């Protein structure tokens, strides 16, 4: 049973650099979600896809953030011109449009120095 | 607007003692309610969920939660806590597979 996998697990980058995270959902899941979590907080919704369509984006997702799911399978989350405030854990989750439960990956830690 | 409140930021219990973590939600319709657990540096693991029916739901690791509509609550309980239960616990509300809203979490410390 393969769950949601995320890569890389940890990323340290210099301010101003671009970073990209990848998420592979559970294979039969057509919905994929990105969340951001900072220390001491719960996950905050960023965006979600149904198949390859990006159906909703949070206002938290500034113009420097872009997410794609080109073939309706894996997804990437790119952050351009990183800022120190982007330091957080980026969580991916997947689920189905007929179900009401989402399952999370282990997360990708981003540290911007 | 949908929201979740977890009033207790941090709770400390002795191993073997009972546990109750509080969760209150605000939602316009019948909510889908969840409890997740997160160990340090890890993702979130689903403990249990409530959609409808019996208001007392059982989950993994000996946890249970009770939905009380009149109190807009979905408190998590465990009769006897183990040291391995030390973690961060998140309550969440969602519907129809769209956005899921999370509380700020309750950190559980278990002392021997």
């Amino acid at each position: 049973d393969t769950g949601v996998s995320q890569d890389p697990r940890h990323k340290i980058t210099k301010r101003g650099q671009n970073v990209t995270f990848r998420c592979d959902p559970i294979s039969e899941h057509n919905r994929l979600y990105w969340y951001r979590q900072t220390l001491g907080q719960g996950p905050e919704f960023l965006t979600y896809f149904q198949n390859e369509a990006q159906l909703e984006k949070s206002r938290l997702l500034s113009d420097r953030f872009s997410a794609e799911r080109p073939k309706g399978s894996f997804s990437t989350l790119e952050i351009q011109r990183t800022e120190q405030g982007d330091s957080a854990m980026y969580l991916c989750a997947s689920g189905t449009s007929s179900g009401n439960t989402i399952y999370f990956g282990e997360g990708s830690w981003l540290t911007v120095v | 607007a949908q929201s979740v409140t977890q009033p207790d930021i941090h709770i400390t219990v002795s191993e073997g003692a009972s546990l109750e973590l509080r969760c209150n939600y605000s939602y316009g319709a019948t909510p889908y309610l969840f409890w997740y657990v997160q160990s340090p540096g890890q993702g979130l693991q689903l403990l249990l969920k409530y959609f409808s029916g019996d208001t007392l739901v059982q989950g993994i690791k000996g946890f249970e939660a009770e939905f009380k509509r009149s109190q807009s609550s979905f408190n998590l309980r465990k009769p006897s806590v183990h040291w391995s239960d030390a973690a961060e616990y998140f309550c969440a509300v969602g519907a129809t597979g769209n956005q899921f809203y999370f509380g700020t979490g309750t950190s559980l410390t278990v002392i021997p």
Side-chain angles (χ1 to χ4, degrees), chain A residues 6-11 21 89 105-110, chain B residues 41-43:
Chain A
Q6 294 187 242
D7 183 71
R9 292 292 317 280
H10 302 273
K11 179 73 176 179
F21 298 110
M89 182 157 71
E106 294 296 306
S108 293
W109 277 103
L110 173 64
Chain B
Q42 303 297 312

Side-chain angles (χ1 to χ4, degrees), chain A residues 31 33 48 56 100 102 106, chain B residues 34 36 38 42 97-99:
Chain A
R31 286 196 171 182
Y33 304 77
Y48 91 94
E56 193 168 347
N100 296 292
I102 58 174
E106 294 296 306
Chain B
F34 308 84
Y36 288 84
Q38 185 178 37
Q42 303 297 312
N98 295 341
Q99 285 196 39

Side-chain angles (χ1 to χ4, degrees), chain B:
Chain B
Q2 300 90 335
S3 68
V4 177
T5 302
Q6 294 181 247
D8 304 305
I9 296 173
H10 186 245
I11 284 183
T12 300
V13 298
S14 298
E15 191 168 16
S18 63
L19 172 70
E20 182 169 26
L21 302 182
R22 296 183 291 165
C23 172
N24 294 96
Y25 67 89
S26 172
Y27 195 75
T30 301
Y32 299 131
L33 294 162
F34 308 84
W35 276 98
Y36 288 84
V37 61
Q38 185 178 37
S39 297
Q42 303 297 312
L44 282 73
Q45 181 184 19
L46 180 68
L47 280 177
L48 49 77
K49 57 189 177 184
Y50 171 79
F51 293 162
S52 65
D54 192 346
T55 56
L56 184 64
V57 293
Q58 302 298 318
I60 62 171
K61 305 185 179 187
F63 285 92
E64 65 178 28
E66 186 172 13
F67 170 60
K68 293 186 177 180
R69 184 186 301 275
S70 62
Q71 298 178 17
S72 297
S73 70
F74 188 57
N75 293 349
L76 181 72
R77 300 195 294 250
K78 186 170 185 178
S80 177
V81 170
H82 188 262
W83 64 265
S84 61
D85 293 324
E88 190 87 17
Y89 291 80
F90 292 96
C91 181
V93 62
T96 64
N98 295 341
Q99 285 196 39
F100 292 78
Y101 297 88
F102 288 81
T104 52
T106 298
S107 176
L108 175 65
T109 297
V110 181
I111 55 177

Side-chain angles (χ1 to χ4, degrees), chain A residues 64-76:
Chain A
R64 297 183 298 104
F65 288 69
S66 63
E68 294 182 341
R69 195 183 183 199
K71 297 183 179 179
S73 57
F74 73 92
S75 174
T76 58

Side-chain angles (χ1 to χ4, degrees), chain A residues 38-77:
Chain A
T38 53
L39 283 175
Q41 299 298 315
E44 297 175 297
F45 172 80
L46 292 178
T47 188
Y48 91 94
F49 294 83
Q50 180 162 306
N51 300 314
E52 65 275 9
Q54 189 172 18
L55 296 187
E56 193 168 347
K57 291 194 294 185
S58 164
R59 283 173 289 179
L60 291 175
L61 212 64
S62 78
D63 292 345
R64 297 183 298 104
F65 288 69
S66 63
E68 294 182 341
R69 195 183 183 199
K71 297 183 179 179
S73 57
F74 73 92
S75 174
T76 58
L77 177 68

Side-chain angles (χ1 to χ4, degrees), chain A residues 4 15 19 24 26 29 44 48 56 61 63 69 77 82 88-89 91 93 98 100 103-105:
Chain A
V4 178
R15 189 174 52 188
V19 297
D24 288 89
I26 294 170
H29 287 180
E44 297 175 297
Y48 91 94
E56 193 168 347
L61 212 64
D63 292 345
R69 195 183 183 199
L77 177 68
T82 52
M89 182 157 71
L91 290 160
S98 59
N100 296 292
Y103 300 89
F104 284 86

